[in-house]
């Protein structure tokens, strides 16, 4: 398949006009970001369903799409809506998972280091799971999706200043929660 060189809004406009390859290009650009967004907040099984629901909404609503900013902000506003719906269905948060494949691989003679990295990954996941939903949402959108303050604000319906505040509090709470764990983990 040949890569399509176009910005996201142009690709979405082409998709609305019937160009399926344009959708494939958008999906290729954002599938991993939306997957990590859902995975961090729902766990693997529920993330699969949410990922599918979000992209189906993009497909179903393509005729209503209006380029009023960045496609990423639009996509993550849809993803956030799907996330909120998924969380409302159960009204409980599933323990967070962290893809340990992203951690550096431990060498053959480093089982202690590998165990420490796994413990650190679990601590990060647990600390992230304890954040208030608005703070966790903003943090994951920034870290996993690479969204700007403005895009997070658009996706969440909050002001840029509110997003900055949520991120500041999230970072502070994560740092506090991980301080002891980091002290115990030697690299």
């Amino acid at each position: 398949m040949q890569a399509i060189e176009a910005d996201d809004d142009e690709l979405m406009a082409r998709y609305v006009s019937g160009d399926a390859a344009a959708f494939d290009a958008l999906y290729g650009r954002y599938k991993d970001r939306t997957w990590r967004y859902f995975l961090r907040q729902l766990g693997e099984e529920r993330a699969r369903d949410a990922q599918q629901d979000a992209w189906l909404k993009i497909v179903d609503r393509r005729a209503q799409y209006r380029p009023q900013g960045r496609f990423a902000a639009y996509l993550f506003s849809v993803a956030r809506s799907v996330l909120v719906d998924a969380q409302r269905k159960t009204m409980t948060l599933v323990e967070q998972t962290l893809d340990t494949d992203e951690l550096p691989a431990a060498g053959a003679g480093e089982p202690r280091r590998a165990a420490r990295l796994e413990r650190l990954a679990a601590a990060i996941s647990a600390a992230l799971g304890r954040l208030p939903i608005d703070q966790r949402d903003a943090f994951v959108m920034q870290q996993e999706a690479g969204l700007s303050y403005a895009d997070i604000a658009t996706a969440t319906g909050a002001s840029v200043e509110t997003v900055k505040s949520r991120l500041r509090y999230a970072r502070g709470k994560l740092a506090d929660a991980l301080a002891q764990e980091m002290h115990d983990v030697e690299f």
Side-chain angles (χ1 to χ4, degrees):
M1 176 189 295
Q2 181 181 357
I4 297 179
E5 297 296 325
D7 72 21
D8 296 340
D9 285 326
E10 181 182 334
L11 286 173
M12 192 62 182
R14 288 170 51 184
Y15 175 55
V16 169
S17 297
D19 183 353
F23 175 81
D24 291 343
L26 282 170
Y27 181 74
R29 288 179 187 178
Y30 288 99
K31 69 179 176 171
D32 292 340
R33 294 178 192 183
T34 55
W35 169 249
R36 289 188 305 263
Y37 173 73
F38 290 124
L39 180 65
R40 298 278 192 252
Q41 301 193 66
L42 295 173
E44 190 169 344
E45 185 176 326
R46 292 175 60 208
R48 245 185 245 109
D49 293 337
Q51 170 89 329
Q52 183 177 14
D53 289 348
W55 284 101
L56 284 173
K57 285 186 180 202
I58 297 295
V59 169
D60 291 343
R61 297 177 183 170
R62 68 185 173 273
Q64 290 84 31
Y65 177 76
R66 300 291 177 261
Q68 298 173 338
R70 291 190 33 192
F71 172 77
Y74 171 74
L75 172 62
F76 279 91
S77 68
V78 170
R80 184 173 189 270
S81 173
V82 168
L83 175 70
V84 169
D85 288 346
Q87 290 172 332
R88 283 184 184 148
K89 285 179 186 173
T90 61
M91 295 304 289
T92 58
L93 295 176
V94 174
E95 182 176 346
Q96 303 300 304
T97 60
L98 182 64
D99 183 0
T100 56
D101 292 341
E102 294 177 17
L103 295 174
E110 302 178 6
R112 290 182 68 205
R113 183 171 188 263
R116 288 180 185 126
L117 287 172
E118 287 178 26
R119 195 170 76 223
L120 178 60
I124 291 169
S125 180
L128 193 59
R130 287 189 299 270
L131 288 177
I133 187 68
D134 289 338
Q135 292 173 17
R136 181 176 53 233
D137 226 12
F139 185 80
V140 174
M141 282 184 188
Q142 184 185 53
Q143 296 301 311
E144 293 297 344
L147 296 185
S148 67
Y149 294 137
D151 288 341
I152 296 168
T154 299
T156 61
S159 71
V160 171
E161 291 305 314
T162 298
V163 168
K164 288 178 182 179
S165 177
R166 288 175 181 169
L167 286 168
R168 183 177 64 253
Y169 284 119
R171 287 185 196 109
K173 288 176 182 177
L174 288 172
D176 290 346
L178 296 175
Q180 184 60 44
E181 191 66 30
M182 291 298 289
H183 183 265
D184 293 342
V185 177
E186 299 172 18
F187 286 94

